[in-house]
Amino acid sequence: MSETLIKQFYTSQVRNEWRRLVKDPYHHLELDTTLHFLEKYLPESGLVLDAGGGPGRYTLELARRGQAMVLLDLTPANLEFARRQIKKADLQERVKDIREGSIVDLSLFADHTFDAVVCTGGPLSHVLDPMDRDRAVSELIRVAKAGAPLFISVISRLAVLVFELARAPFEIELPLFKPMRDTGDYQGGYGFTCCHFFLPEELRAAVAGKPVEVLEMVGLEGISSHHRRALNQLAKNEKRWGIWLETHYQTCTHPAIVGISEHMLLVCRKN
């Protein structure tokens, strides 16, 4: 049922999701920080799986950087939009395949297929069942080659609680709030689809005991989280913006910052 709701939601949000990461400096920070750490660990070339890649924002960005890409997503409308964007950008030769499917079951792909696996923008947060989440992480690892980097980003539970305080305090008294606070699970119905919001230790635990080494955890919006208006205003001043970005990259891996960031990125390497 949750998979159906997620597909319905993102079918209605294709263009919004495509624009989400570039609509202002605040949202661009998630994109740029993710790309910063992708570029830090990706091999110079190879076959990269963009798992749960939505309308293809990261597929296109990485294809432009010379990577050979495979895009997988649950929602056909996302994939159709991605095909148009790939053709428009003349990147058909770089994007080797576009497949419909779930990160919970990557049986479309053999073991040790990819030189890197990217699962960014929060696809794992849309897997509500704990056993399915564990299977999804195992599948992402299975299809990666030995030594391949994996990148998994999720939506933060602590950041959502701050959002409730600052932007939607009326929801605190609704039945949805305490279950979301205590378990991270949100069944949808109030402006967003069903989702599991992660604590930072929960994200790290998701790969514990699996054949990977954790390299870094990153708060993608970092210390700018929840300060969209202030950050967008700051971006108008080139000098201040440059200093702030330097500050962001110096602090975004601090454990105190990772947990409060709206999105968290786990970077690991398959053994």
Side-chain angles (χ1 to χ4, degrees):
M1 181 62 178
S2 62
E3 189 171 288
T4 300
L5 292 174
I6 291 161
K7 190 180 292 190
Q8 290 173 347
F9 177 82
Y10 281 106
T11 296
S12 71
Q13 295 291 319
V14 175
R15 290 189 177 275
N16 288 340
E17 184 61 21
W18 172 252
R19 295 169 180 153
R20 181 178 69 84
L21 293 172
V22 296
K23 64 184 179 181
D24 61 19
Y26 181 80
H27 287 85
H28 224 295
L29 192 60
E30 179 191 343
L31 173 66
D32 291 342
T33 307
T34 301
L35 289 171
H36 174 86
F37 285 92
L38 290 174
E39 291 169 350
K40 181 176 178 179
Y41 291 105
L42 280 173
E44 288 188 10
S45 61
L47 186 63
V48 179
L49 175 63
D50 186 4
R57 177 66 68 182
Y58 286 104
T59 289
L60 267 76
E61 291 290 344
L62 295 178
R64 289 190 181 103
R65 289 160 169 78
Q67 301 290 344
M69 302 299 301
V70 173
L71 171 62
L72 175 131
D73 195 72
L74 184 67
T75 305
N78 275 335
L79 299 177
E80 285 303 313
F81 185 89
R83 287 188 180 94
R84 295 195 297 271
Q85 295 301 315
I86 290 162
K87 183 177 181 180
K88 183 178 178 181
D90 195 23
L91 289 169
Q92 298 96 316
E93 291 187 8
R94 292 285 184 191
V95 182
K96 304 301 182 182
D97 202 1
I98 297 174
R99 304 297 292 268
E100 180 182 344
S102 167
I103 61 172
V104 175
D105 180 5
L106 297 177
S107 56
L108 290 166
F109 309 115
D111 297 357
H112 318 299
T113 296
F114 296 99
D115 298 286
V117 173
V118 174
C119 184
T120 52
L124 189 63
S125 278
H126 290 308
V127 182
L128 263 65
D129 183 87
M131 292 181 66
D132 283 345
R133 282 200 300 276
D134 185 68
R135 183 180 177 193
V137 173
S138 295
E139 283 285 88
L140 294 168
I141 296 169
R142 178 185 64 78
V143 300
K145 294 179 180 178
L150 296 95
F151 309 85
I152 302 170
S153 68
V154 297
I155 307 172
S156 162
R157 189 188 314 183
L158 299 178
V160 168
L161 296 180
V162 174
F163 173 87
E164 293 291 298
L165 170 66
R167 301 281 298 279
F170 67 93
E171 292 186 359
I172 292 172
E173 63 183 282
L174 297 180
L176 65 88
F177 180 78
K178 287 185 179 180
M180 183 174 64
R181 179 196 68 192
D182 297 341
T183 70
D185 290 342
Y186 169 66
Q187 301 301 327
Y190 290 86
F192 195 43
T193 190
C194 45
C195 195
H196 178 76
F197 302 113
F198 280 75
L199 297 172
E201 61 268 28
E202 187 182 4
L203 179 57
R204 184 179 286 271
V207 298
K210 293 180 169 59
V212 295
E213 171 194 2
V214 174
L215 302 176
E216 300 202 71
M217 286 188 66
V218 185
L220 294 176
E221 295 87 357
I223 53 178
S224 304
S225 284
H226 310 292
H227 295 289
R228 178 180 175 184
R229 183 180 297 178
L231 189 80
N232 289 340
Q233 185 66 31
L234 183 70
K236 297 176 182 178
N237 184 305
E238 185 176 351
K239 184 175 182 180
R240 292 175 185 173
W241 179 243
I243 295 170
W244 188 254
L245 286 180
E246 178 184 325
T247 305
H248 168 74
Y249 285 114
Q250 285 183 4
T251 57
C252 65
T253 56
H254 192 288
I257 301 305
V258 173
I260 65 165
S261 186
E262 291 193 45
H263 295 84
M264 300 180 286
L265 174 68
L266 177 75
V267 184
C268 49
R269 191 183 307 280
K270 186 172 179 179
N271 296 335

